[in-house]
Amino acid sequence: ELVLSGLGRTRAATVEREMALRRGEPFSFERVLDSQRRLSSLGIFERVTIAELDPLRERRRDVVVTVQEAPRTTVSWGVGYSEQDRLRGSVEVTRRNLAGLGRTASLFARASFRGSRLLANLREPWLFGKKLDSFATGFWEEERRTSFDYSRKGAALQAGRSLDPRTTLILRYLY
């Protein structure tokens, strides 16, 4: 059996879908490590621990998955100065674990006397019920330079899947 502990906003199904160790299947330390790696890579937990409930039990092993959820919202900012940009500032707001499904949304803005940039990003770890780590990104930026000015707007869609531990297939569309 799998016993889940520490879940607050995260749905049990979100943890179970990342587990390489399944109920009723043979116990494997390799699957325990893979499950721990997959749960940690979601970016929604500060700590993930997977341990046997009673290690001395021989025929049947129950596993306890204990997680500590990361803060849902983080805000980071910065202020700087350079000869080219002069005064420059940035702010980023990230919201993790949307709807308890491991999704993440972020918004980044940067401004200076020479230009500005706005970037919005949404990450979906399971697209269409498949293990496809996906991103949707929209951006807008402008900059004033000595020889020319520019303004760009665009969007990008990306989906990636690990084929084996050393190979990942990534499909990206940029507009």
Side-chain angles (χ1 to χ4, degrees):
E1 286 294 319
L2 289 175
V3 179
L4 305 179
S5 173
L7 297 179
R9 295 171 297 272
T10 306
R11 295 183 188 185
T14 302
V15 174
E16 289 170 352
R17 76 177 181 205
E18 297 295 333
M19 295 294 295
L21 191 61
R22 305 268 184 225
R23 285 183 171 99
E25 291 183 358
F27 182 83
S28 160
F29 286 110
E30 183 178 323
R31 287 183 185 171
V32 168
L33 291 174
D34 189 36
S35 299
Q36 198 165 9
R37 180 191 55 77
R38 289 172 61 170
L39 286 167
S40 295
S41 72
L42 285 175
I44 61 174
F45 302 118
E46 284 188 349
R47 187 174 301 126
V48 176
T49 306
I50 301 175
E52 293 178 72
L53 191 58
D54 183 6
L56 299 177
R57 197 171 171 186
E58 290 184 24
R59 303 272 301 150
R60 182 183 166 113
R61 298 189 183 203
D62 295 329
V63 176
V64 178
V65 180
T66 306
V67 297
Q68 181 181 348
E69 294 179 337
R72 286 186 72 170
T73 304
T74 55
V75 178
S76 57
W77 58 274
V79 176
Y81 179 83
S82 72
E83 286 185 29
Q84 184 178 5
D85 288 333
R86 304 219 193 286
L87 188 61
R88 178 164 120 172
S90 65
V91 65
E92 182 175 19
V93 177
T94 301
R95 182 80 170 176
R96 290 179 192 82
N97 206 8
L98 299 173
L101 297 172
R103 295 179 182 128
T104 302
S106 64
L107 184 65
F108 172 82
R110 181 183 70 210
S112 71
F113 286 104
R114 295 190 55 137
S116 54
R117 181 175 199 193
L118 183 64
L119 178 70
N121 192 38
L122 177 65
R123 177 184 182 227
E124 170 64 58
W126 285 72
L127 187 63
F128 307 122
K130 305 277 187 214
K131 180 68 175 150
L132 294 170
D133 202 9
S134 310
F135 296 89
T137 304
F139 63 89
W140 169 79
E141 63 184 344
E142 67 176 3
E143 188 172 327
R144 291 178 294 287
R145 296 184 176 177
T146 54
S147 56
F148 66 93
D149 297 344
Y150 74 88
S151 178
R152 294 187 332 159
K153 298 174 192 114
L157 299 173
Q158 175 179 312
R161 182 174 186 141
S162 293
L163 302 176
D164 61 49
R166 296 181 352 179
T167 309
T168 301
L169 175 66
I170 297 175
L171 300 173
R172 181 181 299 147
Y173 177 77
L174 178 64
Y175 177 75

